[in-house]
């Protein structure tokens, strides 16, 4: 089975469309690590596409917040404003579907996916220290995660933990059984690793090869939609910087 792994779409239809065009005919199933909505101006089209096309989906913290408005006191003011806007903009059907999404970890074949970390969907896995701890809670040797909006990941081999810098790696890359991996496919709709292109991953389970990809998309249209919708302007500006 060949998987398209996506995360942190955040209601960005232009970015999702570009990913789908770039990956066309190169995957059999879609896996989504959450944060389908929040920030972007197209929560309904993006949710409807995921509902229809993803074989497995777990919720992200923004899906939970936008569907139910619970926990938004922990969000910064921009995220709070976007969450309230998204809650109102979502159709009743999409809001109900998002509110019923399961939290991770979700098992797929012999690997798993989570939103934040294996123990907490709200936890950010950024540092080696955080990754070392997280490896202690992974149930499979390969875990896909999102939430940080930073493409890359961590590899643990013979008790040594290494951080992946995608720019230094050659893809496709073999994922072997001897090591353990925490892999972030990157954010489709709001990258924060200073690369404004949409991020995603392709994983071929049979050949155990993994590819992390970036693709340019129509950022200007996504930005105009955010401003026209009355969402906070900094949410449009940041798309142009990938931060
Ligand atoms: Fe996110």
């Amino acid at each position: 089975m060949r998987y398209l792994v996506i995360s942190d779409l955040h209601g960005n239809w232009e970015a999702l469309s570009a990913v789908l065009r770039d990956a066309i005919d190169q995957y059999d199933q879609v896996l989504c690590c959450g944060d389908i909505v929040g920030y972007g101006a197209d929560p309904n089209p993006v949710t409807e596409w995921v509902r229809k096309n993803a074989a497995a989906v777990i919720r992200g913290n923004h899906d939970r917040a936008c569907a139910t408005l619970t926990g938004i006191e922990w969000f910064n003011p921009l995220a709070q404003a976007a969450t309230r806007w998204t809650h109102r903009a979502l159709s009743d059907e999409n809001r109900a579907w998002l509110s019923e999404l399961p939290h991770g970890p979700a098992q797929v074949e012999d690997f798993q996916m989570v939103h934040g970390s294996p123990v907490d969907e709200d936890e950010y896995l950024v540092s080696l220290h955080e990754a070392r701890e997280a490896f202690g809670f992974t149930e499979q040797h390969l875990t896909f995660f999102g939430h940080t909006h930073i493409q890359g990941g961590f590899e643990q081999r013979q008790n040594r933990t290494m951080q992946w810098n995608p720019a230094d790696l050659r893809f496709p890359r073999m994922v072997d059984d001897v090591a353990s991996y925490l892999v972030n496919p990157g954010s489709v709709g709001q990258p924060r690793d200073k690369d404004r292109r949409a991020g995603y991953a392709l994983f071929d389970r049979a050949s155990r090869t993994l590819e992390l990809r970036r693709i340019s998309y129509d950022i200007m249209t996504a930005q105009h939609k955010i401003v026209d919708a009355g969402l906070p302007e900094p949410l449009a500006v940041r798309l142009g910087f990938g931060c």
Side-chain angles (χ1 to χ4, degrees):
M1 190 70 78
R2 299 169 307 162
Y3 295 98
L4 168 65
V5 189
I6 51 178
S7 188
D8 297 281
L9 293 74
H10 285 291
N12 187 334
W13 179 253
E14 285 68 35
L16 175 60
S17 303
V19 165
L20 299 176
R21 278 195 300 274
D22 193 53
I24 194 164
D25 295 334
Q26 294 165 77
Y27 63 91
D28 306 304
Q29 287 195 347
V30 178
L31 307 177
C32 178
C33 297
D35 275 5
I36 297 157
V37 298
Y39 297 132
D42 278 322
N44 284 307
V46 172
T47 302
E48 273 148 30
W49 188 89
V50 174
R51 283 176 66 184
K52 207 194 250 181
N53 293 286
V57 197
I58 52 170
R59 74 180 185 190
N61 56 318
H62 284 262
D63 302 321
R64 184 188 69 214
C66 290
T68 64
L69 292 179
T70 53
I72 68 167
E73 64 273 18
W74 301 104
F75 284 7
N76 66 48
L78 287 181
Q80 279 193 20
T83 301
R84 291 185 200 284
W85 181 92
T86 306
H87 182 76
R88 286 194 305 272
L90 281 166
S91 69
D92 291 345
E93 214 176 302
N94 286 334
R95 202 184 302 111
W97 181 80
L98 287 164
S99 72
E100 284 161 16
L101 280 177
H103 61 73
Q107 180 85 13
V108 183
E109 295 199 62
D110 60 351
F111 61 95
Q112 62 181 2
M113 44 187 216
V114 302
H115 182 64
S117 85
V119 282
D120 184 352
E121 63 189 351
D122 292 299
E123 183 184 2
Y124 290 91
L125 291 184
V126 178
S127 69
L128 269 175
H129 172 73
E130 289 155 348
R132 269 189 213 106
E133 277 202 353
F135 274 118
F137 294 95
T138 53
E139 286 158 19
Q140 300 295 336
H141 82 106
L142 171 62
T143 301
F144 287 101
F145 71 100
H147 195 43
T148 63
H149 300 208
I150 298 169
Q151 191 177 53
F154 303 91
E155 178 174 338
Q156 193 167 64
R157 194 175 287 272
Q158 293 168 338
N159 286 329
R160 203 174 143 238
T161 308
M162 295 159 279
Q163 185 153 17
W164 283 6
N165 179 1
D168 297 338
L169 298 176
R170 276 232 193 125
F171 292 105
R173 185 176 177 82
M174 283 290 293
V175 171
D176 64 58
D177 289 335
V178 185
S180 293
Y181 303 86
L182 285 159
V183 176
N184 190 322
S187 168
V188 171
Q190 196 198 73
R192 295 178 191 162
D193 47 12
K194 299 190 175 67
D195 182 341
R196 62 191 208 157
R197 297 173 299 169
Y200 72 98
L202 292 172
F203 176 55
D204 186 328
R205 170 64 187 74
S207 64
R208 307 199 73 76
T209 50
L210 174 77
E211 192 170 351
L212 299 181
R213 286 194 180 174
R214 303 303 279 256
I215 182 71
S216 299
Y217 71 95
D218 183 359
I219 290 177
M220 212 176 274
T221 296
Q223 290 173 317
H224 281 139
K225 284 184 178 178
I226 286 172
V227 174
D228 292 348
L231 281 156
E233 200 173 331
L235 297 178
V237 173
R238 70 187 300 178
L239 293 183
F241 293 98
C243 65

